[in-house]
Amino acid sequence: MKNKIILFDLDGTLIDSTQAIYESFCTAFKAFNKDTPNIESIKKLIGYTLEDIFIALGIEEKECPQYITAYKEHYRQICNKKTILLENAKESILKAYEFAYLGIVTTKTGLYSKDLLQHFNVLQYFHCIIGRENVTKPKPNKEPILKALEALPKGISNSHIYMIGDTPLDILAAKEANIQSFGVLSGYASLSMLQKYTDKIARDSLEAISIIQSI
């Protein structure tokens, strides 16, 4: 019997789409004759919205929509080919599915998220996919988590609801939504960074799932 809810972030938690993301940013910058950013500057920002990332990279807010369009047009063409499941990710999904209802809460577009999960043959294990287009306020706001919980079975206490993610955005959103969280080291935030926000840290999603199952 399932007695928990587990929400997963996507990039850095279950998948590595760094190559696809970086290439799409470079394509967008080149489309408007701008110098392309270096990959490290992009990796530090993965998890934020595309608009916030472009602004952080020096693009004016009013110009962001055209950059985002160029990004998405390229990303849509390459995302499946240039994204991989992280090590132990599928195992963690299968293990979690045995005892919990599962959802995805990501800042990535939900449509692309579904396509990627289908590509990796794991979409069927998730009861809901909450992406950027499904909310007004993305993580670290609690709205995406609350939106996911609306689509999941009721009656499970917040002490048995978990958000697993690789950045402070995931942990902060969980805290605001008054649910539990685990930070994982498989993605874009360092151990020292995650330790500023939580003491519940695992190597990857599989270790986090194993701990949650034992609680």
Side-chain angles (χ1 to χ4, degrees), residues 7-10 103-107 128 130 139 144-145 148 163 170:
L7 305 174
F8 290 91
D9 173 52
L10 207 47
I104 294 287
V105 175
T106 178
T107 312
C128 66
I130 303 299
K139 296 178 292 184
I145 288 176
M163 176 77 211
D170 303 300

Side-chain angles (χ1 to χ4, degrees), residues 128-182:
C128 66
I129 312 292
I130 303 299
R132 178 65 185 94
E133 73 272 38
N134 303 122
V135 298
T136 303
K137 297 178 180 178
K139 296 178 292 184
N141 193 277
K142 64 183 176 181
E143 184 186 346
I145 288 176
L146 297 182
K147 193 87 170 181
L149 295 181
E150 288 175 4
L152 287 158
K154 307 301 185 285
I156 295 177
S157 72
N158 284 20
S159 62
H160 289 130
I161 302 174
Y162 294 83
M163 176 77 211
I164 299 177
D166 67 301
T167 73
L169 299 175
D170 303 300
I171 297 163
L172 289 169
K175 286 181 177 178
E176 190 176 343
N178 194 32
I179 66 167
Q180 314 307 306
S181 65
F182 261 91

Side-chain angles (χ1 to χ4, degrees), residues 24-88:
S24 299
F25 272 107
C26 289
T27 297
F29 273 79
K30 288 176 182 176
F32 298 99
N33 299 311
K34 297 279 190 180
D35 292 337
T36 57
N38 65 67
I39 192 167
E40 290 305 317
S41 65
I42 298 294
K43 288 169 71 173
K44 290 177 182 177
L45 295 167
I46 291 176
Y48 289 92
T49 66
L50 289 175
E51 182 179 34
D52 286 342
I53 296 175
F54 276 116
I55 290 172
L57 294 172
I59 304 304
E60 292 186 19
E61 185 175 354
K62 64 182 180 181
E63 296 180 339
C64 283
Q66 59 187 347
Y67 280 80
I68 290 172
T69 296
Y71 173 99
K72 287 186 173 181
E73 285 177 353
H74 187 74
Y75 185 83
R76 183 166 50 244
Q77 297 173 31
I78 66 167
C79 60
N80 286 356
K81 183 170 65 174
K82 297 195 174 183
T83 300
I84 61 171
L85 274 179
L86 287 167
E87 184 178 4
N88 296 327

